[in-house]
Amino acid sequence: MGVGTGDHWAGRGPLKVEADRRTARRLNVTTPGRTTGESGAGRTERAGGGRRVPLLLAVAGAAYLLDLGSKVAVVAELEHRAPVKVFGDWLELRVLRNSGAAFGIGEAATILFTLIAVAVTVVIVRLARKLYSAPWAVALGLLLGGGLGNLTDRLFRTPGDFRGAVVDFLHIRGFSVMNFADCAIVCGGVLIVLFSFLGWELDNKDKLEEKAGETAVAAPPGAS
């Protein structure tokens, strides 16, 4: 049975009492027979397992800004000019306008790809409510940032009306012409497939709470 605070600390020297109190505070324990009153969500946060929405937004924002900035730069400096070689004939900067999907696929279905991009964005935003995994946050952030990058072109570049042509400029020999948004989408997709294969869960909150609960040891030694 639990004992009172005074009974618990009675009979101990000052140094021993202070050491036990420090241990109790470090383990998030008050006195025997009492609970800390901390919720499961609080324990999860203390264990470093809170929602990963900030990480998702940071990755998505970085991918989006890199894509947007690079497109603005190449359109201003390289469009209607000779390609610029980066690694010989293997990689060069060549500006093209692509009305299809990634790698120039489906040029006759521009509106369809625009609607798919909007749908993917909505799904990722909804998934963010139960996102507790850092690796999944990175993968979904890449997918979201890349999707928004190409969606911006669809909405605001000519001819407009959800039919805007995406700016591609990374020409890889024998492969395709793409942009950083395409790279982010591909990387995010590969990571999602990998995490699914490995069995890594999008929402690992229960496991984190269980781990946090294990660290909250019930009481200091000596309780009866």
Side-chain angles (χ1 to χ4, degrees), residues 122-204:
V122 172
V123 169
I124 293 176
V125 171
R126 291 179 63 86
L127 287 175
R129 296 181 301 174
K130 59 178 183 178
L131 181 60
Y132 286 83
S133 168
W136 273 95
V138 173
L140 293 177
L142 289 172
L143 198 63
L144 178 60
L148 290 176
N150 284 339
L151 181 60
T152 299
D153 285 355
R154 302 288 188 200
L155 296 176
F156 298 106
R157 294 193 185 275
T158 56
D161 297 328
F162 298 96
R163 299 175 183 271
V166 173
V167 175
D168 290 334
F169 58 91
L170 297 172
H171 179 224
I172 302 174
R173 180 182 175 184
F175 183 56
S176 178
V177 183
M178 54 196 302
N179 54 45
F180 285 122
D182 296 331
C183 296
I185 291 171
V186 170
C187 291
V190 170
L191 289 176
I192 288 173
V193 172
L194 176 62
F195 299 158
S196 299
F197 179 78
L198 294 175
W200 294 4
E201 298 178 0
L202 179 73
D203 180 4
N204 59 353

Side-chain angles (χ1 to χ4, degrees), residues 10-21:
R12 302 189 177 205
L15 294 179
K16 180 62 175 175
V17 170
E18 181 62 25
D20 286 347
R21 284 175 175 169

